[in-house]
Amino acid sequence: MSNEKLISVLAADDDAGMRLILRKVIQQTDGFVMVGEAACGDEAMTLYEKYRPQVVFLDVDMPGKTGVECARQIQDQNPACILIFATAHEEYMSEAFEVYAFDYLVKPFKVERVMQTLERARNLLRSPEKVPEPARPPLSRPRVEGRMMLHHRGGVSFLSLEEIVLIQR
């Protein structure tokens, strides 16, 4: 790995075996370092506040705070944190994505799947930030006359070209 800063990871799961698997995968993946492991939601939040990791693996069903509750708190503190759920509970997927989960891994999952997720996270975190372009004055719209014919399932419609702001397929 180059001189780039390592991406910090926290794993929160009440299953010690799952934490071991995540630790081993993270150790084998270039560019990542495990900064903490938590067995419950409260411990996860304590470690999150202490280390401020860039990536957090969360189980949904943990003692104390649930993974979704932790995710909400983490998002409130740092919306840029990458949240990855690793759980046996498929039924919480919609809740996880409501808190902007980066991925939702359903146990048992393959190690390759975790590595793919970490690769995607690395690409997102390492991508150069887009520099906002300076504000420009609004473009003046030339006057356009005529109509456009649109074919669709319901037949044909005609639109005045003057009324069109954007065309998107």
Side-chain angles (χ1 to χ4, degrees):
M1 189 86 209
S2 65
N3 292 337
E4 292 184 55
K5 186 178 174 197
L6 294 175
I7 296 168
S8 55
V9 180
L10 169 66
D13 196 308
D14 58 335
D15 179 355
M18 184 52 58
R19 291 194 312 273
L20 174 65
I21 290 169
L22 290 172
R23 181 180 342 116
K24 294 287 186 187
V25 171
I26 290 161
Q27 288 171 348
Q28 294 173 9
T29 308
D30 286 339
F32 291 89
V33 62
M34 180 75 83
V35 295
E37 295 179 33
C40 68
D42 296 324
E43 185 182 5
M45 290 312 303
T46 299
L47 290 173
Y48 177 79
E49 289 167 9
K50 180 177 181 180
Y51 295 111
R52 298 288 180 183
Q54 295 164 281
V55 176
V56 179
F57 281 88
L58 293 163
D59 186 11
V60 172
D61 189 22
M62 293 186 290
K65 288 182 175 59
T66 68
V68 174
E69 290 170 332
C70 291
R72 283 192 180 104
Q73 281 188 277
I74 291 168
Q75 279 294 301
D76 286 346
Q77 294 178 35
N78 179 11
C81 183
I82 293 178
L83 301 171
I84 301 166
F85 284 86
T87 184
H89 302 278
E90 287 185 52
E91 63 271 18
Y92 296 105
M93 191 178 294
S94 63
E95 279 186 73
F97 285 108
E98 284 175 17
V99 290
Y100 305 104
F102 184 74
D103 205 347
Y104 196 93
L105 308 172
V106 179
K107 299 173 188 174
F109 45 76
K110 295 185 180 205
V111 169
E112 296 82 31
R113 176 78 163 78
V114 180
M115 294 179 99
Q116 288 171 351
T117 298
L118 288 171
E119 181 69 28
R120 286 181 31 241
R122 179 185 321 132
N123 291 341
L124 178 68
L125 291 167
R126 299 274 192 248
S127 64
E129 293 180 7
K130 293 183 180 179
V131 179
E133 292 185 29
R136 296 182 184 156
L139 299 174
S140 61
R141 287 185 53 188
R143 183 154 171 82
V144 184
E145 293 184 27
R147 298 186 317 172
M148 176 184 283
M149 181 173 64
L150 297 175
H151 292 275
H152 49 82
R153 288 187 187 126
V156 176
S157 298
F158 292 92
L159 295 173
S160 168
L161 292 178
E162 239 177 29
E163 295 174 2
I164 296 174
V165 176
L166 171 72
I167 297 176
Q168 186 175 1
R169 182 175 182 211

